[in-house]
Amino acid sequence: MPDPIIFYDIDSSKPGRAWSPNTWRTRYALNYKGIPYRTEWVEYPDIEPLCKKIGGSATAKKEDGRDHYTLPMIYDPSTGEVV
């Protein structure tokens, strides 16, 4: 059986509370479809370095022209694909 996909989510200081509704939507879809995954929690300042490390695309541009990265992001270790 291949490794489960990795779902990157933003860590919250409040247990049981979502930091972002966007990550909750993704988690809901994965659970609904029964897709096996594991969660890796990411602190907010670590989002950009993580996305660059795994090859994730920027989601927007900042006012100064730099790339802006956000979560959720999914990584498939069996194919190396990032979504």
Side-chain angles (χ1 to χ4, degrees), residues 3 7 10 13 16 18-19 23-24 30 36-37 40 50 56 59 63-64 67 69 72 78 80:
D3 291 332
F7 169 61
I10 303 169
S13 61
W19 196 90
T23 58
W24 269 107
L30 292 169
Y37 68 94
E40 286 200 15
L50 168 74
T59 55
E63 288 183 15
D64 62 4
D67 289 336
Y69 296 88
S78 63

Side-chain angles (χ1 to χ4, degrees), residues 7 10 13 20 23 27-28 35 47 49 53 56 75:
F7 169 61
I10 303 169
S13 61
S20 166
T23 58
R27 181 182 302 281
Y28 178 80
I35 298 172
I47 293 172
K53 177 182 171 187
Y75 175 72

Side-chain angles (χ1 to χ4, degrees), residues 6-82:
I6 302 169
F7 169 61
Y8 294 98
D9 198 350
I10 303 169
D11 199 14
S12 174
S13 61
K14 297 181 180 182
R17 300 283 311 254
W19 196 90
S20 166
N22 295 323
T23 58
W24 269 107
R25 286 184 195 111
T26 302
R27 181 182 302 281
Y28 178 80
L30 292 169
N31 289 333
Y32 182 80
K33 292 179 176 272
I35 298 172
Y37 68 94
R38 68 180 172 89
T39 303
E40 286 200 15
W41 298 100
V42 182
E43 297 287 334
Y44 193 77
D46 300 328
I47 293 172
E48 182 175 343
L50 168 74
C51 292
K52 288 179 177 180
K53 177 182 171 187
I54 65 172
S57 300
T59 55
K61 291 281 187 185
K62 296 181 181 180
E63 288 183 15
D64 62 4
R66 293 181 297 136
D67 289 336
H68 180 69
Y69 296 88
T70 60
L71 295 181
M73 196 163 287
I74 295 173
Y75 175 72
D76 184 349
S78 63
T79 64
E81 294 291 320
V82 178

